[in-house]
Amino acid sequence: RSMKVLVIGESCIDNFTYGEANRLTPEAPVPVFNSFENIIVEGMAMNVRNNIKSLGVEVGIHTNPNWRIVEKTRFIDHRTNHMFLRVDQNDHKISHTTNLRKIKFDQYDGVVISDYNKGFLTEEDIYYISENHDLVFLDTKKVLGDYCNNVEFIKINNSEYLKSENYAFANKNIRDKLIVTLGSKGCMYKEHVFPVVKTEVKDVAGAGDTFIAGFTVKYLQTKDIVQSIQFANECATIVVQKRGVSVVGQDSVY
C-alpha cells in the first residue's frame, strides 16, 4: 500500500487581509487601515496536513470539529508586508473534544502531532498517541515533560526551547529527539546547526508547519535524519518567500 500519515491537532482559518494605511484617524494617533484583499486559507494542523498532501503523501487528520469558527485575521500592508495587527477569534471554543481511542493507528506509517496548546490535546493525549504508534513526530507549544518520552522526534522553535531548556538539559532522552528551528539560521539537532540558504523573507506564518511536514515525509521515505532535516529546511525556505500561509509544492523540492 502507499504511505499514509495521520495529523492530530487543532486547526483554524487563517485570514490575511491586505490593504494600506496612509493617514491617521482624527480620533487618536493610530493608522486608518483600508483593506482591499482577503486571502483565506486553512491553518495550524490543517496547514500541516495540506503540506504533507502537497508532497504527494496520503494524509488523514483528526482535529477540532469546530475549526472553521476559529480564526486568525492579520491586517497587512500590501506593499511592505508589514503586519499592523492580528485578531484571534474563538480560541476559547477549542475544547478537549477528541476521542483518540477511535483511531486505528496501525493504518498509518507515521503520526504528526501539531499541538498549538489551545486545549484540544492534553499531555495525557500526547502520551497515549506515542504509546499507540512507534513513529510519532511532535510539534508542540507546551512546555516539554515526561509525556514526550516515547515520541520519536520533537520539533520546537528557539523561544519554545528556552522554556523547556532546563528539562531538556536534564533528560538526554529528550535532547536526542529535539529539532530546534532557528529561523533564518536554519535548525539545530544534537548541537549541530543545519543552515539554510539566505533568502528574502516575506512571511514566516506557517513555516513551522511546513518544516514538520517536510521532515515527516522525507524521514518516512528514507529513515535518514540528516537528509530529512535538510529537506525540511528547503521546504520552509520556499514558503517564507511567499505571502501568507502557503504549502510547498512537490515539484518545488524534488
Side-chain angles (χ1 to χ4, degrees):
R1 67 178 176 84
S2 60
M3 188 166 65
K4 190 173 183 181
V5 174
L6 176 66
V7 175
I8 303 175
E10 56 265 82
S11 299
C12 72
I13 290 292
D14 273 319
N15 181 340
F16 293 83
T17 299
Y18 294 95
E20 59 187 10
N22 296 321
R23 63 187 177 91
L24 299 178
T25 174
E27 294 93 355
V30 295
V32 175
F33 185 82
N34 292 308
S35 63
F36 48 72
E37 181 183 17
N38 284 89
I39 297 176
I40 307 292
V41 294
E42 299 168 340
M44 299 201 300
M46 284 297 295
N47 187 39
V48 178
R49 174 237 181 220
N50 292 340
N51 273 276
I52 292 173
K53 184 178 179 182
S54 76
L55 291 169
V57 174
E58 186 178 356
V59 57
I61 188 163
H62 184 79
T63 192
N64 49 306
N66 68 343
W67 66 271
R68 289 178 179 83
I69 70 166
V70 181
E71 188 165 344
K72 300 177 186 176
T73 302
R74 299 164 176 88
F75 296 90
I76 302 168
D77 181 76
H78 75 108
R79 291 166 296 187
T80 64
N81 220 51
H82 169 77
M83 188 193 306
F84 289 98
L85 178 68
R86 194 182 98 176
V87 178
D88 291 6
Q89 293 177 284
N90 294 326
D91 273 5
H92 65 286
K93 294 186 179 179
I94 300 177
S95 59
H96 183 242
T97 55
T98 180
N99 187 351
L100 299 172
R101 283 158 181 78
K102 290 185 176 181
I103 298 174
K104 297 179 179 179
F105 286 98
D106 58 356
Q107 295 181 353
Y108 301 95
D109 299 281
V111 178
V112 179
I113 301 175
S114 177
D115 172 38
Y116 275 78
N117 197 25
K118 293 184 181 294
F120 183 66
L121 292 173
T122 64
E123 293 180 1
E124 290 76 17
D125 290 332
I126 293 171
Y127 181 80
Y128 176 84
I129 295 165
S130 64
E131 282 282 282
N132 283 274
H133 201 284
D134 293 334
L135 198 51
V136 174
F137 305 81
L138 173 63
D139 185 357
T140 183
K141 305 293 185 188
K142 288 181 174 63
V143 174
L144 302 183
D146 292 347
Y147 69 92
C148 304
N149 279 336
N150 295 325
V151 303
E152 191 73 11
F153 294 103
I154 304 167
K155 194 285 292 180
I156 54 179
N157 64 36
N158 192 52
S159 63
E160 293 159 356
Y161 169 73
L162 293 176
K163 297 175 184 176
S164 299
E165 187 174 15
N166 292 337
Y167 178 80
F169 183 79
N171 292 272
K172 185 177 185 300
N173 176 48
I174 296 296
R175 289 201 308 274
D176 289 347
K177 303 172 186 290
L178 272 179
I179 301 170
V180 182
T181 55
L182 305 172
S184 61
K185 296 179 181 178
C187 71
M188 181 173 63
Y189 175 69
K190 290 188 175 181
E191 298 185 351
H192 179 77
V193 174
F194 294 81
V196 291
V197 176
K198 289 186 178 181
T199 187
E200 180 185 0
V201 175
K202 289 188 176 179
D203 204 323
V204 298
D209 298 335
T210 301
F211 183 98
I212 192 67
F215 180 85
T216 299
V217 168
K218 187 57 73 173
Y219 188 80
L220 288 172
Q221 292 171 342
T222 66
K223 298 298 188 292
D224 185 306
I225 297 172
V226 171
Q227 189 176 348
S228 301
I229 288 174
Q230 291 170 337
F231 181 77
N233 270 344
E234 184 179 350
C235 291
T237 299
I238 289 170
V239 298
V240 298
Q241 297 177 69
K242 303 177 182 180
R243 293 198 311 172
V245 169
S246 57
V247 298
V248 62
Q250 186 175 2
D251 296 337
S252 302
V253 287
Y254 281 359

